[in-house]
Amino acid sequence: MILRDVESYSRAQLDEIKLNKLKWVIEWVYDRVPFYKQRFDKIGLKPHHIKTLKDIEHVPFTTKSDLRDNYPFGMFAVQMDDIVRIHASSGTTGKPTVVGYTHNDIEMWAELMARALASAGVHKGDILQNAYGYGLFTGGLGIHYGAEKLGAAVIPMSGGNTQKQVMLMQDFGTTVLTCTPSYALNIVEVAREMGVGRSSLKLKAGVFGAEPWTENMRKEIEEKLEIDAIDIYGLSEIMGPGVAVECLEGKNGLHLYEDHFLPEIIDPEKLQPVAYGEKGELVITTLTKEAIPLVRYRTRDLTTLNADHCVCGRTTLRMGRITGRTDDMLIIRGVNVFPSQIESVILKIDGVEPYYQLIVDRDGPLDTLEVRVEVNDRIPFDEIKVLETMERKIEHDIKDYLGVNARVKLVEPKSIERSAGKAVRVIDKRKKQ
Ligand code: DLL
């Protein structure tokens, strides 16, 4: 295990680093980004007012719509000739969110991604098959640069072309797979169809993220692939993958790189900070980014932070698994439902596969929720009685756990569309009405 010194600093040392960098970034954005200057001037905030870490609470939040309003480059803090890379994340509607990187930003990102992969147990000598999408999405290139920096051999496969993924995994002796958790399952399925057994693969670990997944999903992937499945988190606005990652030793929360990012958890309604351990929305201030530094960026991701001791020796704050996004929350007849909660219920049931979709609709004034789940091929799909019994059982468990009435519909193996990137879990028909 390789630990950078900074990863095992005392809280006081980490706080000192963070405070110095916080002062730097506040001044950097005030001097260079008109958006921030106007925001700060409006409330009389000057960079020298930031004297302690707690002073961050006086700084206004930044949101995704601020990025959209300043599309494409209005939030950049450097001249365009200092930009060496541009990425963008596509939203469901309208223009994408655009981010830029200076040469130093790319270096920093590669370094953090190398640290993240090392934390997942990857090292020089590993053969890493990178099945995150290459392109405007940050997953592909983000992982790629980090893996090279670490000295691993990267296979830049990108997402899709699943049979070839399996073939190369076998022929090249891939030891580490990086992709979304839903795509990892898709690869497992195709490997089985191709008759490729586990014994012909050298895979030992997977570094999975970019979409919410549950502990039950981790179990499923680890059992099917006989690997360690590590959770990695990030978002384009803040950098891309590598903002936080689990360690191989603990696999219990994601260490957040506090020497580069200042995290807070807030109550998304009251907009006030909450205590360690309490769930809320993750807010991040970048501490070292030059091209597009963001101050108090509201990620919309729901999680917790804790400062508990970790077996790996890292002292940085750990973030809980992301349970959903504030904008992914479905409200079904007044009950708040996150797709990940449904996932954790259905994956406990024997005979179903981890492929599911939630269809939300309206029946007159009432919301309806249909949960489509695939059965595995051991369930006789023509025996209606068996299916009905299973459906009622899952409906009961969902009601019990979430307090919501759902209609469960078991569907045939392989009938739910597979994804090579982020899985589409929700079809909300109400939005089209
Ligand atoms: O998904 C960056 C990334 C690439 C992360 C590869 C990890 C691996 P975006 O496309 O901007 O960037 O989407 C960011 O995805 O705000 C979360 O809602 C979600 N997300 C990312 N990682 C996780 C994770 C990349 N480990 C958005 N668990 C974020 C749950 C995640 N959700």
Side-chain angles (χ1 to χ4, degrees):
M1 175 173 67
I2 317 158
L3 266 194
R4 298 285 198 282
D5 284 350
V6 62
E7 295 179 20
S8 52
Y9 276 1
S10 68
R11 189 84 337 243
Q13 281 171 308
L14 277 170
D15 284 351
E16 193 187 327
I17 295 182
K18 287 197 300 193
L19 179 59
N20 288 333
K21 292 182 175 176
L22 175 64
K23 289 178 180 169
W24 172 82
V25 73
I26 295 290
E27 202 163 319
W28 184 260
V29 297
Y30 186 76
D31 291 345
R32 290 163 172 257
V33 187
F35 164 85
Y36 278 115
K37 181 163 188 327
Q38 281 159 17
R39 277 264 166 110
F40 293 2
D41 282 347
K42 206 165 152 194
I43 56 163
L45 179 79
K46 298 282 175 220
H48 70 266
H49 291 149
I50 304 294
K51 296 196 174 76
T52 67
L53 282 175
K54 210 164 159 42
D55 289 335
I56 185 96
E57 290 172 21
H58 305 304
V59 182
F61 295 106
T62 310
T63 61
K64 203 177 180 91
S65 57
D66 295 327
L67 290 172
R68 287 220 186 92
D69 294 345
N70 290 282
Y71 176 86
F73 307 139
M75 298 287 275
F76 287 11
V78 297
Q79 299 297 321
M80 279 313 283
D81 62 359
D82 286 324
I83 297 286
V84 299
R85 174 105 60 85
I86 294 168
H87 279 283
S89 73
S90 51
T92 36
T93 50
K95 302 270 192 197
T97 309
V98 182
V99 289
Y101 303 77
T102 63
H103 180 75
N104 285 340
D105 291 337
I106 294 285
E107 264 300 301
M108 180 277 271
W109 187 14
E111 167 68 17
L112 277 189
M113 263 313 310
R115 275 165 66 180
L117 291 169
S119 154
V122 183
H123 48 68
K124 187 173 162 57
D126 270 317
I127 299 182
L128 182 146
Q129 187 158 325
N130 188 14
Y132 283 111
Y134 282 65
L136 286 176
F137 176 55
T138 52
L141 285 172
I143 303 276
H144 185 110
Y145 273 54
E148 279 188 356
K149 182 134 198 134
L150 193 63
V154 190
I155 311 171
M157 263 305 285
S158 200
N161 222 339
T162 313
Q163 291 199 347
K164 191 163 177 187
Q165 301 269 7
V166 175
M167 182 184 86
L168 295 193
M169 209 180 273
Q170 202 177 19
D171 295 351
F172 292 4
T174 300
T175 55
V176 179
L177 173 67
T178 54
C179 59
T180 59
S182 55
Y183 191 49
L185 282 173
N186 189 346
I187 295 178
V188 175
E189 186 179 55
V190 171
R192 283 199 178 154
E193 282 164 13
M194 290 166 69
V196 173
R198 178 62 181 89
S199 58
S200 65
L201 301 178
K202 295 214 172 82
L203 214 55
K204 62 168 194 190
V207 186
F208 304 126
E211 63 183 6
W213 54 311
T214 56
E215 270 310 308
N216 291 342
M217 179 71 101
R218 185 204 316 259
K219 227 171 115 220
E220 185 94 25
I221 296 177
E222 290 196 329
E223 279 171 14
K224 285 188 164 154
L225 272 172
E226 296 170 38
I227 59 169
D228 284 298
I230 307 289
D231 193 3
I232 185 166
Y233 170 78
L235 63 166
S236 355
E237 298 93 305
I238 294 300
M239 177 177 80
V243 172
V245 70
E246 285 181 325
C247 56
L248 178 64
E249 300 79 2
K251 277 203 236 166
N252 182 17
L254 297 85
H255 291 278
L256 197 139
Y257 290 116
E258 280 181 273
D259 46 333
H260 293 273
F261 309 106
L262 175 66
E264 300 168 78
I265 302 285
I266 60 160
D267 177 319
E269 256 133 52
K270 299 190 189 117
L271 303 184
Q272 290 302 319
V274 302
Y276 285 160
E278 262 180 58
K279 195 190 264 188
E281 178 180 342
L282 176 67
V283 170
I284 298 180
T285 299
T286 64
L287 296 175
T288 51
K289 259 181 28 168
E290 296 177 341
I292 177 164
L294 293 181
V295 175
R296 298 198 92 195
Y297 183 69
R298 291 187 58 184
T299 65
R300 298 186 181 270
D301 291 321
L302 295 170
T303 183
T304 52
L305 281 178
N306 77 74
D308 301 347
H309 169 78
C310 182
V311 284
C312 74
R314 285 178 184 82
T315 48
T316 40
L317 289 173
R318 263 178 301 159
M319 191 183 98
R321 225 175 231 297
I322 303 280
T323 48
R325 292 174 57 80
T326 49
D327 43 6
D328 269 0
M329 189 178 78
L330 300 168
I331 304 178
I332 309 291
R333 302 190 191 183
V335 183
N336 299 349
V337 178
F338 286 100
S340 62
Q341 294 174 303
I342 301 276
E343 177 179 304
S344 69
V345 173
I346 55 187
L347 293 194
K348 284 192 195 129
I349 307 280
D350 274 343
V352 303
E353 288 293 301
Y355 301 102
Y356 65 94
Q357 219 158 35
L358 313 185
I359 322 281
V360 188
D361 207 343
R362 197 161 272 157
D363 181 10
L366 293 178
D367 302 314
T368 57
L369 171 65
E370 178 178 296
V371 179
R372 288 192 192 150
V373 197
E374 275 183 25
V375 290
N376 64 27
D377 48 21
R378 290 188 297 280
I379 301 291
F381 201 73
D382 40 9
E383 283 186 32
I384 301 209
K385 198 130 198 80
V386 176
L387 293 183
E388 276 181 358
T389 310
M390 276 178 81
E391 286 172 346
R392 297 301 84 79
K393 155 98 180 111
I394 304 173
E395 282 168 2
H396 171 268
D397 288 0
I398 290 176
K399 173 86 184 172
D400 213 36
Y401 181 59
L402 285 158
V404 76
N405 288 312
R407 202 172 85 80
V408 170
K409 189 164 189 294
L410 292 173
V411 295
E412 279 186 81
K414 301 197 190 73
S415 55
I416 290 177
E417 197 179 318
R418 303 297 187 249
S419 93
K422 299 180 192 244
V424 180
R425 300 291 192 204
V426 178
I427 298 174
D428 195 340
K429 295 186 172 166
R430 296 176 301 184
K431 289 188 176 154
K432 289 193 197 101
Q433 289 169 353

